[in-house]
Structure formats: C-alpha cells, structure tokens
Amino acid sequence: MTQNMTITEFLAQHLQGEHSGALNAILDDITVAVKQIAIAIDAGAITGNMGSLATENVQGEVQKTLDVLTNDIFIEAIQKSGYVAGMVSEELIDPVNLTVKNGQYLLCVDPLDGSSNVNVNISVGTIFSLLKAKNNQPELNDFLQAGTQQICAGYAMYGTSTMLVLTTGNGVNGFTLDKTSNDFVLTHPNMQIPQETTEFAINMSNYRFWQEPVQRYIDECLQGTEGERDKDFNMRWVASMVAEVHRILVRGGVFMYPSDAKAKMGKLRLMYEANPMSFIVEQAGGASTTGLQRVMEVAPTGIHQRVPIMLGSKNEIDRVAIYHQKKSKRK
Ligand code: P6P
C-alpha cells in the first residue's frame, strides 16, 4: 500500500469479490456526503446551524439543526450509485426506501454522532454500516440482520482533521482529507489495536447505576498499582463515540457504555453505532462485547434498539467478559 494513495486508488486495488463494484460506487457517494458534512459543520457557527430544533428524534433526543442537515445530505448523496435500496437513520423513525436502479444494499447510518459536542467544538462523527438487501423494495425487517452480516462499516471523524476509517472485512484503513486536493488519502494503513492498554473511557457519573462486573473492573483500574491490576490506568471521556473509537484504534484502550439501572439496554444503538464500530474494532484485532455476548452476534429486534457495549483492546475486553460470566454463574 503506497502511503498517501487516494481512497479511489486504494479501493480499486484492494476491493475484491462480488461486492467490489457496488462498494466502489457506494463508498464514492459516502465520501461525497462526508466532504459536504465536514463543510457544513466547519461553517456551522457562521451559517447559524449550531442550534437545536423544536423536534426530537425517535430516541426522544432534541435534534440539532446539523443532525437534520447531515441526514438530508446523506439521503441525497447515497442515491447516486443506485445500489442502496433503503436507509435507516438515527434521525428517522422509519427506514427510507430510495428510488434506485438496482438496489442490492441497505445502509444504516448515524449521520452526526456526538452532535451535542458540535457547538463546543469537540470532535464528532458519522457512523455507517452496509448490509445486503433481499430486493430493491426493502421492508423494515430486512434491516434486522446481525452485525456478522455487515458487508462494510466505517466512520468519518470531523476532528483536528477530517478522516474516513473503513473496513470491508479485510482489515481497517484510515484516510485523511487533503484539503488542497479535496481527496481522501491513505494515512493509516492496516490499523491494529494493541492487545494491552492502561486507558479506559466510561461516563463515571453513572457509577452508582452500573452492574457489579463493571464496578469491579473500573474499581480495579482506579486502584492501579495498589490493587489487583498492579498497574496504573488513565481515563478519557469525550462523549463522542467516534472520537473514543478512533483513539482506541490509534493507541489502544477500552470504551464502555454498559447497561445500568437507568438504561437496562445501555444507550448506544445496535444497527448504526455498536455494530459498525464492533466490525471495525474486531477487524483491527480488538473485541466488542455486551458483557454476555459478542455485540456482532446480537439478533436485532428493532432498527433503533439499544445495546450495552464494551469494546477495545482484546485482553481488557476479555477480562470484562469474564467478570460478567462469573457474575452470571454466581446468580
Ligand atoms: P453521555 C453521543 O450522544 C453518544 O451517542 C456517543 O457518541 C457517546 O459515546 C455517548 O452518547 C455519550 O453519552 O452519557 O456521556 O452523554
């Protein structure tokens, strides 16, 4: 892989198999959408798009102007290839059937994850997951496929630079937007998550609501060299999943949004947050669990269902899973 090759050159060289033609076209549309979203976010404060709307999304979360704007950008861009028959979005109650020529794929997308960070200028992102469609008139149930069925997953990160990180099942590669050429170029080939880490990311304010295995794991991290783990840990919490996952891909770590007494199924959504991020993390040598099973093996029951998720450096996630199994055995 030549450093700084464009994403188009990279995909032409590396996409193989039955999906390669469609993936080339779909990913081209996604890069167009991401470039437009990056411009919209960058100019948000200037164009007056930093505010909130009077509307809520299906999750009951107040929608930001940019949530709706980025969703519209995606819907328009993703129709160009003609391969995507339907789209599920965090911002829409029902799937959107797209007017397509030969739609054979389904897209699940969180157009602007972490959008509450936009007006405080903290990194946000877009997360997407691609599935095979049964036909070009998809029903809601056609989207309800386990994460192991994903054809492709990726995220865009609108941070100190705009990046696109992708997997199609043969490893993970990162591309940075070169603003002079307006092209994504390969800057992070074959991303691998270190198996070990001393860094965890979790919203500590929920401590009293967590189940015992999560409290035990975090307690041991906090005890550092004075406790069971005999090493000190560092903590991060950006409140933007894309930024947390990207940091983990670059230097290791764990990200945890477990189920708790407040949110029995956790906070993050399976189809367009947990599954795509789990696909990427596993392809980079990491692991992703609900505590009781591999996230990508969860059988979906709803397009907006939530799922507990703990992902990152494999040895740490394996430890978290063991703590959950021991607890369920004790029960
Ligand atoms: P909390 C953003 O709203 C998000 O869905 C993820 O990107 C992020 O990791 C999490 O929620 C932050 O949750 O509880 O810190 O607001």
Side-chain angles (χ1 to χ4, degrees):
M1 297 182 206
T2 335
Q3 188 76 6
N4 284 358
M5 74 192 313
T6 66
I7 190 167
T8 309
E9 290 162 345
F10 176 86
L11 294 175
Q13 273 187 28
H14 291 84
L15 283 182
Q16 288 140 15
E18 60 170 315
H19 304 297
S20 53
L23 272 174
N24 256 309
I26 294 169
L27 288 170
D28 195 43
D29 291 349
I30 288 175
T31 56
V32 168
V34 166
K35 289 174 186 175
Q36 289 173 3
I37 291 171
I39 292 167
I41 292 171
D42 224 23
I46 300 161
T47 51
N49 281 334
M50 283 299 194
S52 299
L53 300 170
T55 51
E56 290 185 347
N57 64 17
V58 64
Q59 338 278 339
E61 296 161 344
V62 171
Q63 286 184 303
K64 297 277 185 191
T65 309
L66 282 170
D67 280 324
V68 175
L69 184 60
T70 54
N71 187 64
D72 293 347
I73 288 172
F74 235 89
I75 290 179
E76 188 186 335
I78 206 64
Q79 299 188 65
K80 187 165 155 284
S81 76
Y83 280 105
V84 179
M87 182 174 127
V88 153
S89 166
E90 177 179 331
E91 301 309 326
L92 300 171
I93 294 175
D94 298 314
V96 181
N97 273 5
L98 304 171
T99 49
V100 287
K101 300 186 288 283
N102 52 357
Q104 300 156 35
Y105 297 88
L106 304 174
L107 191 77
C108 301
V109 63
D110 181 355
L112 195 58
D113 182 67
S115 56
S116 59
N117 285 318
V118 168
N119 57 353
V120 292
N121 208 0
I122 290 175
S123 300
V124 291
T126 298
I127 310 170
F128 62 89
S129 168
L130 199 66
L131 298 163
K132 196 76 177 65
K134 281 186 199 140
N135 54 50
N136 63 8
Q137 287 299 322
E139 309 274 329
L140 185 144
N141 287 340
D142 297 339
F143 287 86
L144 301 182
Q145 301 177 39
T148 49
Q149 301 304 304
Q150 293 175 98
I151 308 288
C152 169
Y155 63 81
M157 183 170 164
Y158 312 104
T160 47
S161 58
T162 296
M163 283 198 69
L164 199 53
V165 174
L166 298 173
T167 186
T168 57
N170 297 302
V172 178
N173 293 284
F175 304 84
T176 300
L177 183 60
D178 175 343
K179 296 208 172 144
T180 49
S181 65
N182 197 32
D183 235 336
F184 279 102
V185 295
L186 180 66
T187 50
H188 296 64
N190 191 26
M191 299 181 87
Q192 287 291 308
I193 299 175
Q195 303 266 315
E196 296 291 340
T197 185
T198 56
E199 193 162 71
F200 67 89
I202 194 165
N203 183 339
M204 287 297 287
S205 69
N206 293 324
Y207 182 93
R208 67 186 187 280
F209 301 115
W210 296 338
Q211 294 179 9
E212 186 270 338
V214 177
Q215 288 182 336
R216 173 184 175 190
Y217 176 76
I218 296 298
D219 285 346
E220 290 177 356
C221 290
L222 296 175
Q223 287 154 14
T225 52
E226 294 154 37
E228 177 79 19
R229 301 302 307 276
D230 197 22
K231 60 180 178 177
D232 289 333
F233 282 74
N234 190 23
M235 196 203 102
R236 287 285 181 274
W237 190 248
V238 187
S240 178
M241 186 186 195
V242 169
E244 317 275 10
V245 170
H246 189 71
R247 186 189 58 248
I248 288 167
L249 277 169
V250 170
R251 71 184 191 208
V254 298
F255 167 84
M256 304 170 85
Y257 218 109
S259 63
D260 62 32
K262 268 193 315 182
K264 291 267 181 283
M265 292 312 289
K267 175 179 182 183
L268 300 180
R269 278 59 54 142
L270 176 63
M271 299 307 294
Y272 39 80
E273 290 171 329
N275 268 342
M277 288 309 207
S278 297
F279 189 16
I280 291 166
V281 163
E282 288 196 6
Q283 281 290 311
S288 180
T289 180
T290 65
L292 302 176
Q293 69 178 119
R294 192 177 162 215
V295 166
M296 290 215 293
E297 288 177 351
V298 172
T301 53
I303 55 175
H304 297 295
Q305 84 180 69
R306 297 174 192 266
V307 69
I309 184 166
M310 293 161 279
L311 59 75
S313 292
K314 187 167 182 336
N315 294 353
E316 289 300 311
I317 298 304
D318 289 351
R319 175 184 288 267
V320 171
I322 290 165
Y323 288 3
H324 279 78
Q325 284 143 26
K326 281 185 176 162
K327 180 198 176 228
S328 52
K329 280 201 186 103
R330 264 208 301 277
K331 254 189 171 172

